[in-house]
Amino acid sequence: DYVERVEALLRAQDDQTLLGKPHPYQFLVAVNHSYSDVVLMRESLESKGTPPQTGDPQPGYPKSSREVPSKNERFVVVGDSSSDILGGRAAGAITVAVLTGARTPEARRLLEQNNPDFIIEDVTKLPELLEKMDSLATIQQLQFVEKGKAERLLQRWFARHMKLNPESVILTPKAVSLNSFNGVYCLDGKDFFFKTHIEEQGIVEEYYHADMLHQAGYNIVRPLQTIHEEGRQMVIYPVIRWPVMFDLVREVENGGAERDAFETIIAAEKRECERLLTIYEETLAQSTAAENARAPIHQLFWHRLAGGRYKNFYQRKFVLFPNDARSRQAEKGISFDELLTYRWTIYDQHGAIIVGKQSQPTLGQLIERASSVLDPAREAMTVIGHGDAHFGNVFLQDRKDYLYFDPAFAGRHSPLLDIVKPFFHNVYATWMYFPLEIAQSLQVSVAVRGSDIFVQHNFELTAIRQAIYETKLRFLFAPLREMLDSRGGLPEDWKEIVWLATMCCPLLTINLLDKKRIPPAVSWLGLAQAIEMGDRAASDERK
């Protein structure tokens, strides 16, 4: 009815424009009735140089079809024809093609060639798709393969859940974004930085304790707006122009950094270790088992292990052997459940043993022990900590000071857990962020003999990672242990707490068996590092 009426008005002005599909008119009117007769009448008359006779549009009316409601209201067009998809796209909508309307293979091919955002077999699949489209996890996954689509879904998400109607949304996919995404949106001509953390089956209710960190003495970017609901976390920040530590360290590794970048990074790390130790000393206090169990940091370790992530990643899955010339079992593999029962011997590229002794626990025994030791329902001496302060969450301010952001897991928790994520991710996890690149030079061989697995690899820490390791060890780890011991806050199983939590980092940050993302050689490197970290927990000789 709208189309017929407005086309008649246009014909009276000698304008033969057709407003049926694939013209976007009917979709825009469906979203916002103010996009109506007056809009196209005004545009038609203006295109002919004739002043409009109907007066100014009513308040809220667009002045031309270029000012369409799709700029402010993200919507979805579902259709079973090419004209539906073309018209929906022209209206700025997210488009869904339903294949039941295309009755021949040729019709289906033409429908798919119009590049709808999503395709479903029939309309009964629509509710599930709409739920998927509204998921931040979907956007996180799409950012690496279909960035434009991810940005449009996010723009719709902002409108639906935060009542924000930004003019533009730009995602900045980075290797460091393993369980998150971030970027910049523009609202009323001003840029804002956003970041979200994706944690499936999240347990903890309170996140983003930025004010708590600020009051404790952390140099931290304080968010402008935060949303935390089940399945929805989003934090809005002012745009920060300082470089991110993750990028700076990578530039040093690749030889593209400034001449003094190495020394600048290590000096900043030393300064921050000393500041962290001071904050730990000043905020150290006793927490009850109930208080400790509520700490968000446990989401990174025990909840991932005891919850759905471990099962989703590995239960009833198959581990391919690396395609290495030295491995006779290349292209074959082993079930993960069976892998849990083997004892490991791990060699470096020179043949020196990294892990291997008669009493070496199996991976299954280490995981079982971690489930007990890392159970958060225990009394503990706790501090105020960021919890997830790896270099992806740290700016370098004035080439001197760490500036933290994204305190998704900040709160009062054990300092032994607070040091784990930045230690592993800043020192060991290059393979996790750049798996395809690392795989090009990585050599891994695997052999199974009886109930033993023998792994040899050539992965080594770069000079900058080794320097970070030594700095943390000297200026944070060692003095922290002494401080806790002197104040009666060092638990007897402190070594197991630290190293079993560290074991969770290579094992549970990403799915090591994701074949689309992780080459088999890198999967085995991640498993070997998990064993190495667990071995340190079980070793009495190592400090």
Side-chain angles (χ1 to χ4, degrees), residues 160-190:
R160 286 171 59 84
H161 299 290
M162 299 192 78
K163 309 305 179 185
L164 295 174
N165 295 305
E167 294 96 61
S168 64
V169 173
I170 300 175
L171 285 163
T172 53
K174 290 188 175 183
V176 73
S177 303
L178 299 174
N179 294 289
S180 65
F181 63 78
N182 63 67
V184 175
Y185 71 76
C186 181
L187 181 63
D188 298 329
K190 186 175 180 181

Side-chain angles (χ1 to χ4, degrees), residues 3 34 101 117 120 149 154 163 173 193 198 221 260 294 324 327 337 384 386 479 506 534:
V3 169
S34 70
D117 292 309
I120 53 178
K149 183 188 296 186
L154 182 56
K163 309 305 179 185
F193 179 81
I198 310 298
V221 184
D260 63 342
R294 291 195 295 269
D324 187 286
S327 174
D337 293 337
I384 302 298
H386 185 286

Side-chain angles (χ1 to χ4, degrees), residues 40 289 399 461 464 480 505:
L40 288 184
R399 293 177 56 83
L461 298 182
I464 185 67
L480 172 61
C505 294

Side-chain angles (χ1 to χ4, degrees), residues 31-76:
V31 171
N32 187 341
H33 293 343
S34 70
Y35 191 83
S36 59
D37 310 31
V38 175
V39 177
L40 288 184
M41 282 292 293
R42 182 184 184 94
E43 184 163 285
S44 175
L45 293 171
E46 287 181 343
S47 68
K48 297 176 174 57
T50 306
Q53 302 299 312
T54 55
D56 290 333
Q58 298 178 22
Y61 278 35
K63 295 181 180 179
S64 75
S65 63
R66 289 179 297 275
E67 269 186 58
V68 296
S70 64
K71 297 284 186 183
N72 295 318
E73 295 186 49
R74 292 295 158 181
F75 58 102
V76 180

